[in-house]
Amino acid sequence: MDNLSDSDGEDNHMGGVENAASQELLTNIEVLKASLQTNPNQYEVHMQLIALLKSAAMFEELRAAREAMSAVFPLSEELWLQWLNDESNMATSEDEKENVLNLYERATTDYLSIAIWKSYTEYAVQEYFEAAEHGDDESVLTKDKVTAIFQKANTFTGHHIAQSHIIWNAWAEFETQILDAQESPSSEDDIKRIKSMYEQRLVVAHAEIDNTVSSYISFVTGHSGEDFEKAMAECSALAAHAREMLSERESLELELTSTANSLETFLKYLTFELKPKKKRFPYARTLFERALAVHCLVPTLWIDYTTLVLSMFHHKKKDIDLRPTEIISIGARATRNCPWIGDLWESHMLLLESYVRPEEQVNDVVVKALADPNLAANPQELSKVVLAHCAYKYRKITKNEDGYNLIRQALEHAVAVIDAAGGDPACNVQRYWIELEAFKFGNLTKARHLWSDVIVKQKTMADSWIAMAEMDKRLTNIKEARHTYKRACDQAKHLDWPEKLFDSWITFERENSGDFEYREALIRTREAMKSVEVLRAQYGQTYAEVVSVAAEIAPVVPVAAEIAPMAPEPEAPETNNKRKSSTEESDQTFKVPKVEEKEAESPEPQPTISPKDDYGNVIRLNVPVRMGRRQGFGYVQYPTAEEAQAAVDGLDGRDVGERRGLVVKISDTTKAARHYTDPPLPHESRHELRLSGISDDIQEADIMKLMSLYGTPASVYIHRGSDEIKEPWANIKFDVEDEARAALALNGTEYYGKTLSVKRRSFVRLETEKGVGRRERRRFAARQGARAQGSCSTSSEGSSAVPTEAPAVDEPKVEKKIEGEKIQEVKSGEEPSKVAPKAPSSLTSMTPRSMAPRVLGKVMPRTGYKGLKAFKPASTAAAGATSSIGSQSSSSSGSVGEASKEAEGGKGEASSAPKPRSNSDFRAMLLSGQLKRQIQ
């Protein structure tokens, strides 16, 4: 009794454990269901739910979960086989078996799977023979239906060189078994049909071709009574071409096996299969299916596949082994796997149009595309979809005013959809609309209005200006075209490719003007090109990088201490419908102008930042203005050094809205005046990558698709190679730093047979840049020397300005000082002869440190002229400490004017100033003040 009592207690305990586990399992199932109701696009959650339901033996819920997942995602071979196995084991009635057959049909449409087709045919054969054995005349599977299943299976798998024999051999065995089971002598028609099956098989390249030959000879000699020699000769003739094709592909098949079906090997194989002389649709189609079964999320594979299908539309029917419905399904499957790629949606719509499907089906595709969250998050890809739909509708409308109005409505809706998604920088829909209005609808006023909107968004793109001028040229509006070129020339320093614009204008004037207009264009383009070259020399960049560099160094926000400069704001476009940004109407905030390459101007309100950004109380704010325009930097004064340093720590390098990497520093008035049109460049650029190891014929679209797995590039520039740099490379710019960082994972991967190198884009220093002339190097060295002047400063106790630290020096720095006609070398730390220390400027307690007047004679010219080093002021021996508020500046003996005079000329009149030897020397002396003293 005691033992029984103990046993019962143990059973009760185990039952409690099982109940607790079951309760926990049910709770987890409900949590997963709730999560999928909120967001059904969670692949892993679907997988977890299916696994839990299967372990709990909840078959009805399991079937519903699988249906829900299949509605959102294509299912893998493993998931389909599990589902098919469960359903076929439970199917007993005719309706249930019919549902299993329908499920097999669905399973074969997601991806090419020999295993699924093998399971499908085995199930069909088993059900057929079981029904025949029991004399069931009402079976869902007749002999003709089983044969139809084998025929369809052979259509989709027959050109799978490595594994097609698995399905075909089963088919041949089934047909032979039926033939041999006949009680009466074999029908001649059945023998001819099976022999025809063998003959069609022998002309197809497949790995088991030798076994097929043996099987064919056995069948012919056994059932037809043909002579062995004759059968062998016929067989050899039929299989000769197939053997040749197999030998050409055998090495590639072995490479696929050795590389575990790698993407690179598939791409290599496809390149071979798609050669014009080699291209055969069944082989190429099957190879694409094999590749996509493994690499279903590679957009380029789907794009190339749909392109192949579209290219075969006008071929003879005998070259294509699929029916129209099956071909159209390829487009649907492509969008199901990669819904974020606009090209695939366009291909799907074009397939529907090519095979004359109703317009309602095309509209349904567009509705489905617009509802996809992946596509809605990418305006550039979304524009392809709506643009393709508008083009489709234009091809279908009646070419009259009513039809034109329908297209206008569609285009307006397309623009609204794209703007709601963030806007397309390329303005593809608007450009298409302009083309229709100008050259199809005859509404030039509307076309010009649309161009005004496009230019606002693409003011830095030379191609946009050229296209606008070309429209007027095609309409013979020479005056308007010339006006457009002039406007664009005025923006030359902000253009991404000014040379292209200049060449286009000159070519235009050669063809359409007299000597006066041609001369004016020549003069204006040459002058504009000089300003562009000066800008490039300052940054040490090529023209392709100037715009992106300008964007990197251009943030403007009021911050704690001193803000690095930005490029001048572009002028507003010359349109009749200018819209003012809301920030331009406020005196309390500062506008942050957009300086991105393709978004230099925006009619939308600009992002703003308040002078108070939670770092402290702002006492004074100053944004220098010159000629009515802000200079691209500003000064902000805080009451304490702690608040100023906090603002520097919080804002330096920060992204604000469209701005990339603010430069925020503590202002130091002991330094020489700096010229903010030429700030030092960072070593590496944020959000930008340099891609090398690419092929010469790669296109921008290829790189965009390659990067789409990690993010959406804002722009891509491809350099095709030059005399100095043989290999092509590309710059890829992202809007988001996380996307740029993620894309670094492509480094070292293989792409179309080449190894990619993906690194952060580095800025090249001018002193090491190839092709830079001696004059530019001297100017750069002069600017560096001017910046180095007064690099060390000290701060008195309690000062709110934080001094910059002097760089660590291992060896004494040797500087060259010119005194009269002699060059004197002075080591750092030593007092040069005949050089008096400068006196710092005197500050009152009410003068902010960052806004103090500069010491006369310290401002150096921005550009480097000959002899600039000869007039460089002597370094400060001891800089006085100042404070922003409430502290009195101390100074050494002597006034500012006397100190400056001694610094430049030594001790009074003891040293004679050098005489100017050229115009540049004269200008340098004039700027430094020496010429004035000589005149006096």
Side-chain angles (χ1 to χ4, degrees):
M1 295 295 294
D2 293 338
N3 294 337
L4 180 60
S5 176
D6 293 341
S7 177
D8 292 341
E10 185 176 351
D11 290 341
N12 291 333
H13 175 68
M14 294 301 295
V17 173
E18 290 179 0
N19 291 335
S22 300
Q23 187 62 39
E24 183 180 0
L25 179 62
L26 294 175
T27 302
N28 292 335
I29 290 174
E30 293 302 321
V31 170
L32 294 176
K33 286 183 177 180
S35 177
L36 290 175
Q37 287 180 352
T38 305
N39 179 16
N41 296 305
Q42 302 180 78
Y43 190 89
E44 291 299 330
V45 178
H46 280 289
M47 295 286 290
Q48 294 172 15
L49 178 60
I50 289 173
L52 291 182
L53 291 172
K54 189 173 179 63
S55 64
M58 302 170 65
F59 293 111
E60 291 298 328
E61 291 82 354
L62 177 61
R63 181 184 291 122
R66 284 166 168 166
E67 290 286 357
M69 184 176 184
S70 177
V72 182
F73 299 104
L75 301 187
S76 66
E77 178 184 276
E78 181 182 2
L79 289 174
W80 273 120
L81 290 175
Q82 292 176 1
W83 190 359
L84 291 166
N85 184 61
D86 291 343
E87 294 291 345
S88 61
N89 289 335
M90 293 187 296
T92 55
S93 66
E94 298 299 323
D95 290 339
E96 291 175 343
K97 292 179 180 180
E98 188 69 39
N99 290 333
V100 172
L101 293 175
N102 293 333
L103 192 63
Y104 268 113
E105 285 291 328
R106 290 173 52 189
T108 59
T109 60
D110 276 348
Y111 304 109
L112 175 63
S113 170
I114 298 295
I116 291 176
W117 279 112
K118 182 174 181 290
S119 177
Y120 188 9
T121 55
E122 287 177 348
Y123 178 80
V125 170
Q126 179 182 355
E127 288 296 321
Y128 170 75
F129 281 120
E130 287 182 358
E133 182 180 354
H134 294 87
D136 187 0
D137 297 333
E138 297 181 357
S139 173
V140 296
L141 284 165
T142 63
K143 195 271 181 183
D144 291 340
K145 191 165 185 179
V146 174
T147 300
I149 292 173
F150 270 116
Q151 288 174 339
K152 186 175 182 179
N154 184 63
T155 299
F156 286 97
T157 66
H159 292 83
H160 191 308
I161 292 180
Q163 297 181 0
S164 60
H165 63 277
I166 297 175
I167 304 300
W168 195 92
N169 290 348
W171 183 18
E173 182 181 354
F174 170 75
E175 294 290 348
T176 304
Q177 189 174 358
I178 296 295
L179 183 65
D180 294 341
Q182 294 180 2
E183 296 180 358
S184 59
S186 300
S187 169
E188 292 294 330
D189 292 337
D190 290 339
I191 294 175
K192 289 181 179 179
R193 181 173 54 82
I194 298 175
K195 181 180 178 182
S196 177
M197 282 177 50
Y198 274 104
E199 291 173 349
Q200 294 175 11
R201 179 61 175 170
L202 287 172
V203 299
V204 176
H206 57 281
E208 298 288 331
I209 192 170
D210 292 336
N211 293 335
T212 306
V213 169
S214 300
S215 179
Y216 172 72
I217 295 174
S218 299
F219 177 81
V220 170
T221 56
H223 292 81
S224 299
E226 291 186 12
D227 182 74
F228 178 82
E229 298 295 337
K230 181 181 177 182
M232 191 66 183
E234 291 178 355
C235 189
S236 298
L238 288 171
H241 184 60
R243 291 182 187 276
E244 180 182 352
M245 296 177 64
L246 179 62
S247 64
E248 293 176 344
R249 294 161 174 79
E250 193 169 9
S251 61
L252 292 167
E253 290 289 342
L254 292 174
E255 189 172 348
L256 275 178
T257 303
S258 63
T259 60
N261 293 322
S262 68
L263 177 61
E264 293 74 14
T265 307
F266 269 121
L267 292 174
K268 181 180 178 181
Y269 200 164
L270 285 167
T271 301
F272 168 81
E273 204 68 72
L274 294 175
K275 289 180 179 179
K277 294 183 178 180
K278 301 289 184 184
K279 184 164 62 175
R280 292 175 176 82
F281 181 75
Y283 290 99
R285 174 188 62 78
T286 305
L287 185 58
F288 269 116
E289 292 286 356
R290 293 172 61 185
L292 290 166
V294 183
H295 308 285
C296 59
L297 297 180
V298 179
T300 52
L301 284 177
W302 286 109
I303 292 174
D304 293 343
Y305 189 14
T306 54
T307 302
L308 170 68
V309 174
L310 289 169
S311 69
M312 300 299 292
F313 178 72
H314 295 292
H315 284 235
K316 297 179 182 180
K317 291 184 178 179
K318 67 177 183 179
D319 296 333
I320 303 176
D321 59 342
L322 298 183
R323 295 174 296 177
T325 303
E326 295 166 346
I327 292 177
I328 293 173
S329 69
I330 295 173
R333 292 167 54 215
T335 58
R336 185 169 159 85
N337 281 271
C338 299
W340 62 90
I341 302 299
D343 291 327
L344 298 178
W345 292 100
E346 182 177 10
S347 297
H348 189 190
M349 286 187 281
L350 194 54
L351 284 170
L352 290 170
E353 182 182 5
S354 300
Y355 289 95
V356 199
R357 292 303 185 264
E359 185 175 351
E360 290 75 14
Q361 291 189 22
V362 178
N363 294 336
D364 291 343
V365 170
V366 177
V367 171
K368 189 175 181 179
L370 298 182
D372 189 274
N374 299 302
L375 187 66
N378 191 334
Q380 186 174 4
E381 295 297 321
L382 182 63
S383 68
K384 297 178 182 178
V385 178
V386 295
L387 183 58
H389 188 223
C390 291
Y392 165 78
K393 295 181 76 68
Y394 174 72
R395 291 191 293 270
K396 296 297 181 181
I397 65 166
T398 305
K399 303 303 187 290
N400 54 30
E401 193 61 31
D402 292 337
Y404 299 158
N405 288 332
L406 289 176
I407 294 301
R408 289 189 180 105
Q409 293 175 8
L411 288 165
E412 288 176 359
H413 178 261
V415 172
V417 168
I418 296 173
D419 288 344
D424 177 21
C427 300
N428 291 318
V429 176
Q430 290 94 325
R431 283 174 174 252
Y432 176 66
W433 193 353
I434 290 169
E435 188 74 13
L436 292 181
E437 293 287 357
F439 301 102
K440 301 298 182 182
F441 304 164
N443 192 339
L444 187 57
T445 302
K446 180 64 174 179
R448 292 188 188 282
H449 177 73
L450 291 170
W451 257 126
S452 299
D453 294 339
V454 171
I455 287 296
V456 168
K457 300 177 182 178
Q458 298 184 340
K459 196 170 184 179
T460 61
M461 298 177 62
D463 283 335
S464 295
W465 291 100
I466 295 172
M468 185 177 179
E470 284 294 323
M471 180 191 74
D472 285 313
K473 177 183 175 182
R474 291 165 60 189
L475 295 170
T476 66
N477 295 326
I478 304 302
K479 183 177 180 180
E480 290 294 337
R482 182 177 294 113
H483 178 63
T484 300
Y485 277 120
K486 290 180 179 179
R487 289 176 56 197
C489 188
D490 293 339
Q491 303 291 330
K493 291 193 293 185
H494 306 293
L495 295 181
D496 56 352
W497 197 351
E499 287 91 340
K500 186 174 183 179
L501 174 76
F502 299 156
D503 292 342
S504 179
W505 188 10
I506 294 300
T507 302
F508 168 81
E509 296 295 357
R510 286 172 181 159
E511 298 172 354
N512 301 280
S513 66
D515 63 329
F516 176 79
E517 292 84 0
Y518 179 75
R519 183 170 60 250
E520 181 185 13
L522 200 63
I523 294 171
R524 292 185 67 163
T525 55
R526 287 177 179 177
E527 291 177 349
M529 193 63 221
K530 287 184 178 179
S531 64
V532 171
E533 289 174 347
V534 170
L535 182 64
R536 293 174 184 171
Q538 291 175 357
Y539 296 117
Q541 300 289 303
T542 61
Y543 73 86
E545 299 169 327
V546 169
V547 175
S548 58
V549 170
E552 285 292 327
I553 63 174
V556 173
V557 180
V559 279
E562 175 182 308
I563 303 177
M566 63 170 288
E569 290 182 31
E571 297 179 359
E574 299 178 24
T575 59
N576 296 326
N577 57 343
K578 295 182 181 178
R579 285 180 286 178
K580 183 178 291 186
S581 173
S582 61
T583 54
E584 295 178 351
E585 301 173 357
S586 174
D587 295 330
Q588 302 301 320
T589 56
F590 285 85
K591 187 171 94 171
V592 184
K594 293 185 177 182
V595 292
E596 295 285 330
E597 179 178 355
K598 297 185 179 179
E599 300 179 1
E601 290 285 334
S602 174
E604 299 299 328
Q606 306 286 354
T608 59
I609 255 193
S610 172
K612 288 185 179 181
D613 201 4
D614 298 328
Y615 298 108
N617 297 320
V618 177
I619 296 178
R620 186 170 300 184
L621 174 65
N622 180 28
V623 178
V625 177
R626 179 180 178 186
M627 301 294 290
R629 298 183 59 166
R630 294 172 183 159
Q631 294 300 289
F633 62 95
Y635 295 100
V636 179
Q637 183 183 5
Y638 286 94
T640 64
E642 290 76 13
E643 292 176 350
Q645 188 61 47
V648 172
D649 296 339
L651 292 177
D652 188 37
R654 168 180 163 187
D655 296 345
V656 180
E658 296 288 337
R659 310 268 55 81
R660 298 288 180 253
L662 295 177
V663 179
V664 186
K665 298 180 180 179
I666 297 295
S667 179
D668 187 1
T669 56
T670 63
K671 290 186 177 181
R674 287 158 289 189
H675 298 277
Y676 291 99
T677 56
D678 184 26
L681 294 174
H683 177 65
E684 289 184 346
S685 172
R686 301 185 68 183
H687 315 297
E688 291 189 77
L689 303 178
R690 173 63 64 89
L691 175 64
S692 55
I694 56 179
S695 59
D696 292 325
D697 57 350
I698 196 171
Q699 300 299 318
E700 179 180 338
D702 298 330
I703 297 179
M704 296 287 284
K705 292 166 187 172
L706 180 65
M707 295 292 171
S708 65
L709 295 175
Y710 305 96
T712 304
S715 62
V716 174
Y717 168 76
I718 301 176
H719 182 78
R720 297 294 180 187
S722 61
D723 294 339
E724 298 173 355
I725 303 176
K726 303 297 184 183
E727 295 294 330
W729 50 266
N731 281 340
I732 300 100
K733 185 174 185 178
F734 290 89
D735 285 329
V736 182
E737 170 61 22
D738 292 341
E739 295 179 356
R741 186 184 305 109
L744 289 172
L746 287 171
N747 185 45
T749 59
E750 295 289 332
Y751 186 67
Y752 281 94
K754 300 186 71 96
T755 302
L756 298 180
S757 174
V758 184
K759 299 179 180 178
R760 293 281 187 179
R761 178 187 169 202
S762 300
F763 291 108
V764 182
R765 296 183 180 276
L766 183 64
E767 61 265 30
T768 62
E769 177 69 14
K770 295 181 179 179
V772 178
R774 185 168 54 184
R775 176 177 295 182
E776 287 75 12
R777 295 179 188 275
R778 288 177 176 175
R779 290 179 178 177
F780 179 80
R783 291 197 298 272
Q784 293 294 96
R787 292 194 186 100
Q789 191 67 28
S791 59
C792 300
S793 61
T794 57
S795 176
S796 60
E797 219 176 78
S799 173
S800 64
V802 181
T804 57
E805 297 182 1
V809 180
D810 296 332
E811 298 180 0
K813 183 180 179 181
V814 179
E815 296 184 356
K816 293 185 179 180
K817 305 288 183 179
I818 296 184
E819 182 182 5
E821 298 295 332
K822 297 181 179 180
I823 299 178
Q824 179 184 13
E825 292 189 354
V826 181
K827 294 184 177 179
S828 60
E830 297 182 0
E831 188 72 20
S833 60
K834 298 185 180 181
V835 177
K838 298 180 190 175
S841 60
S842 176
L843 299 176
T844 65
S845 60
M846 295 301 296
T847 305
R849 178 182 183 84
S850 60
M851 305 175 194
R854 302 295 183 182
V855 179
L856 295 177
K858 290 182 66 177
V859 179
M860 303 304 299
R862 183 173 63 87
T863 55
Y865 298 92
K866 292 182 179 179
L868 179 63
K869 292 184 178 180
F871 308 105
K872 183 168 63 177
S875 59
T876 304
T882 63
S883 61
S884 298
I885 292 256
S887 61
Q888 184 70 28
S889 301
S890 61
S891 61
S892 59
S893 61
S895 65
V896 172
E898 291 173 353
S900 301
K901 188 172 181 180
E902 290 178 2
E904 294 171 357
K907 295 180 180 179
E909 302 294 332
S911 61
S912 60
K915 298 179 180 181
R917 297 184 296 274
S918 63
N919 290 339
S920 59
D921 286 355
F922 179 85
R923 179 173 176 80
M925 292 175 63
L926 180 63
L927 292 173
S928 64
Q930 294 192 12
L931 187 62
K932 182 176 180 181
R933 287 194 292 276
Q934 289 181 15
I935 295 175
Q936 292 175 350

